[in-house]
């Protein structure tokens, strides 16, 4: 009986109830929440980036900028790294 | 068996932490375990009234922590079940009256006397929450299938992990099968998919909860209540039994039929 009621309900249900909106909005808001970087983490990330990059090029450490860029449906790590010179191999 | 301290928490307020603590505590005690409920919501004490024990309070958690009384003097024995005790919160103090270290020590002491210590956490992520989780071995996260509650639950999962309380278990409360069927409420799978933690149980939205709270008698003892049944199932899962989820699909129909026939 329950199955029949379910079936009938599904036929008459609106194509997409508000739950789809709830899910999609949650997905996006959590994407942002979960990628929140603490200041300490950001500093540690910068320092390691400088270490690694310095093997290959001379960079302007003071001009280095690392941020999380939040577009509508994605999050990107954006690094702006001024290069002074590239080391010859 | 090894004793356990389990914190019941949520982030968002009003989703059913206190209701869940009371019902699971009573349910575990009915199974013969020695259980202590700790109300960690200092300044907004509630667990005492939900349990119907508000008239028996002499001392509270802050009195114990500050050394005004012995722990056993502050423990209130339940009037229905001799295995069940409550350590009430202070009503006229604030959260800063207790330090996480003191909560940890208190939970340790309770563990020596009880099989299960259930800590009812306040809403939020501040001091009160930190106190509530300080002595916990495990955690239960309560949420409703709503955007803001699920979002807060996600945040709490992160904070628990940072505090080295791993593998929180999820209770989805106030599910409305009729709304799920219409596509107007996230279903069980939606919420699990988003939060990605194991499900401990699902409690339907049920008027019986309000009636039982009015009386100060947890619904878990009410054989006719759907929410009570859900809580009995969760209790069995906590004690290690495998219990399938109850069937929510037919609920709307049976409920309607019951109402048509004039009975509960
Ligand atoms: N399954 C349910 N069905 C119907 N009503 C419910 C259900 N669960 C909880 N409630 C009601 O919701 C309200 C809030 O519940 P409760 O006090 O347990 O939440 P809480 O998370 O402890 O709140 P707070 O954050 O303020 O401590 C109460 O009035 C309670 O009766
Ligand atoms: Mg509460």
């Amino acid at each position: 009986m329950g199955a029949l009621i379910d079936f009938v309900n599904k036929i008459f249900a609106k194509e997409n109830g508000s739950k789809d909106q709830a899910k999609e909005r949650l997905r996006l808001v959590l994407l942002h929440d979960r990628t929140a970087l603490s200041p300490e983490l950001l500093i540690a990330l910068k320092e390691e980036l400088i270490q690694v990059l310095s093997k290959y090029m001379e960079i302007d450490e003071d001009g280095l900028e690392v941020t999380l860029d939040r577009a509508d449906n994605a999050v990107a790590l954006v690094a702006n790294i001024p290069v002074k010179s590239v080391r010859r191999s | 068996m090894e004793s356990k301290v389990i914190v019941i928490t949520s982030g968002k307020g009003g989703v059913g932490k206190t209701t869940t603590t009371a019902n699971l505590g009573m349910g575990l005690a009915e199974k013969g375990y020695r259980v202590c409920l700790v109300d960690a919501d200092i300044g907004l004490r509630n667990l005492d009234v939900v349990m119907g024990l508000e008239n028996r309070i002499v001392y509270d958690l802050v009195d114990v922590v500050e050394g005004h009384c012995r722990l056993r003097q502050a423990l209130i024995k339940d009037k229905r079940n001799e295995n069940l005790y409550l350590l009430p919160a202070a009503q006229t103090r604030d959260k800063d009256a207790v330090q996480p270290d003191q909560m940890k020590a208190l939970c340790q002491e309770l563990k020596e006397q009880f099989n299960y210590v259930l800590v009812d956490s306040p809403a939020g992520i501040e001091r009160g929450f930190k106190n509530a989780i300080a002595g916990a071995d495990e955690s239960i996260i309560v949420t409703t299938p709503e955007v803001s509650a699920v979002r807060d639950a996600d945040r709490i999962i992160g904070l628990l992990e940072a505090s080295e309380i791993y593998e929180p278990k999820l209770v989805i409360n106030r599910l409305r099968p009729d709304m799920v069927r219409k596509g107007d409420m996230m279903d069980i799978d939606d919420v699990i998919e988003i939060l990605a933690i194991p499900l401990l149980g699902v409690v339907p939205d049920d008027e019986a909860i309000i009636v039982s709270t009015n009386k100060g008698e947890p619904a878990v003892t009410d054989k006719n209540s759907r929410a009570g049944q859900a809580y009995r199932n969760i209790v069995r899962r906590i004690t290690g039994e495998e219990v399938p989820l109850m069937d929510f699909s037919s609920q709307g129909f049976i409920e309607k039929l019951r109402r048509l026939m004039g009975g509960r």
Side-chain angles (χ1 to χ4, degrees):
Chain A
M1 201 54 168
L4 179 70
I5 302 267
D6 261 6
F7 179 69
V8 174
N9 268 323
K10 259 185 205 135
I11 293 178
F12 291 106
K14 279 170 279 166
E15 267 288 283
N16 36 4
S18 59
K19 87 138 188 190
D20 290 346
Q21 274 165 282
K23 263 190 95 174
E24 181 59 12
R25 290 176 58 221
L26 255 174
R27 195 182 69 76
L28 293 178
V29 83
L30 290 184
L31 188 67
H32 288 188
D33 287 357
R34 286 172 184 169
T35 51
L37 266 183
S38 69
E40 300 89 65
L41 266 179
L42 203 60
I43 290 171
L45 173 70
K46 271 189 193 172
E47 275 169 7
E48 283 199 45
L49 264 180
I50 291 172
Q51 271 183 26
V52 173
L53 292 172
S54 298
K55 283 195 219 160
Y56 304 92
M57 55 196 80
E58 193 186 342
I59 57 174
D60 172 11
E61 296 185 15
D62 297 328
L64 179 105
E65 267 177 38
V66 180
T67 49
L68 279 179
D69 204 14
R70 286 132 193 241
D72 270 351
N73 56 4
V75 177
L77 181 72
V78 179
N80 191 344
I81 308 165
V83 179
K84 286 183 180 161
S85 67
V86 178
R87 297 196 202 290
R88 287 210 192 107
S89 51
Chain B
M1 67 170 278
E2 208 190 325
S3 299
K4 272 181 197 164
V5 179
I6 306 176
V7 61
I8 290 94
T9 186
S10 70
K12 186 169 158 59
V15 297
K17 295 176 290 296
T18 301
T19 306
T20 299
T21 308
N23 278 284
L24 296 185
M26 179 62 89
L28 285 165
E30 297 247 294
K31 287 216 160 262
Y33 295 98
R34 284 181 55 80
V35 181
C36 183
L37 307 180
V38 178
D39 189 346
D41 201 345
I42 294 165
L44 287 172
R45 120 171 136 204
N46 265 166
L47 192 51
D48 56 337
V49 286
V50 175
M51 295 295 298
L53 298 173
E54 66 275 16
N55 292 328
R56 306 182 172 210
I57 298 179
V58 183
Y59 296 110
D60 58 50
L61 192 153
V62 175
D63 290 322
V64 176
V65 163
E66 293 184 344
H68 300 312
C69 70
R70 300 287 192 90
L71 175 56
R72 69 179 154 73
Q73 291 176 290
L75 291 177
I76 300 164
K77 191 175 186 171
D78 184 76
K79 51 190 177 192
R80 295 140 294 201
N81 193 312
E82 57 173 20
N83 294 320
L84 184 60
Y85 287 78
L86 167 70
L87 179 59
Q91 178 68 338
T92 54
R93 301 292 297 270
D94 72 39
K95 326 231 177 240
D96 298 331
V98 181
Q99 309 277 338
D101 280 351
Q102 296 172 313
M103 275 301 286
K104 216 172 182 170
L106 184 69
C107 289
Q108 273 306 322
E109 201 177 342
L110 287 168
K111 253 170 108 165
E112 288 163 18
Q113 307 170 37
F114 294 96
N115 301 122
Y116 288 98
V117 178
L118 304 186
V119 183
D120 181 16
S121 156
I125 56 174
E126 310 297 329
R127 179 65 162 274
F129 165 74
K130 290 191 177 126
N131 280 336
I133 68 169
D137 304 310
E138 296 179 10
S139 62
I140 293 175
I141 295 188
V142 182
T143 188
T144 58
E146 289 169 274
V147 175
S148 51
V150 174
R151 181 192 195 177
D152 289 1
D154 190 78
R155 179 103 165 85
I156 290 291
I157 292 168
L159 291 173
L160 286 170
E161 198 165 285
S163 299
E164 297 176 1
I165 302 173
Y166 300 111
E167 294 200 16
K169 306 249 166 48
L170 183 66
V171 168
I172 301 175
N173 190 23
R174 309 200 71 161
L175 187 84
R176 295 265 309 266
D178 54 330
M179 291 190 71
V180 170
R181 265 195 299 277
K182 281 192 222 135
D184 271 329
M185 182 178 267
M186 285 186 283
D187 62 27
I188 301 167
D189 292 335
D190 293 330
V191 178
I192 299 175
E193 181 194 322
I194 291 165
L195 291 178
I197 60 171
L199 182 70
L200 183 61
V202 180
V203 182
D205 193 74
D206 186 351
E207 289 174 12
I209 292 288
I210 295 166
V211 174
S212 75
T213 307
N214 287 343
K215 297 185 190 162
E217 287 168 8
V220 72
T221 54
D222 175 356
K223 296 280 176 281
N224 296 317
S225 143
R226 298 278 299 173
Q229 178 63 51
Y231 279 123
R232 287 193 291 282
N233 289 349
I234 295 175
V235 164
R236 290 170 60 195
R237 291 185 197 115
I238 290 176
T239 63
E241 274 183 68
E242 290 222 0
V243 186
L245 273 188
M246 58 196 243
D247 181 16
F248 293 104
S249 65
S250 60
Q251 198 233 337
F253 177 70
I254 302 248
E255 280 289 298
K256 265 178 221 147
L257 201 66
R258 259 203 207 130
R259 251 174 242 147
L260 269 178
M261 317 230 281
R264 270 231 112 237

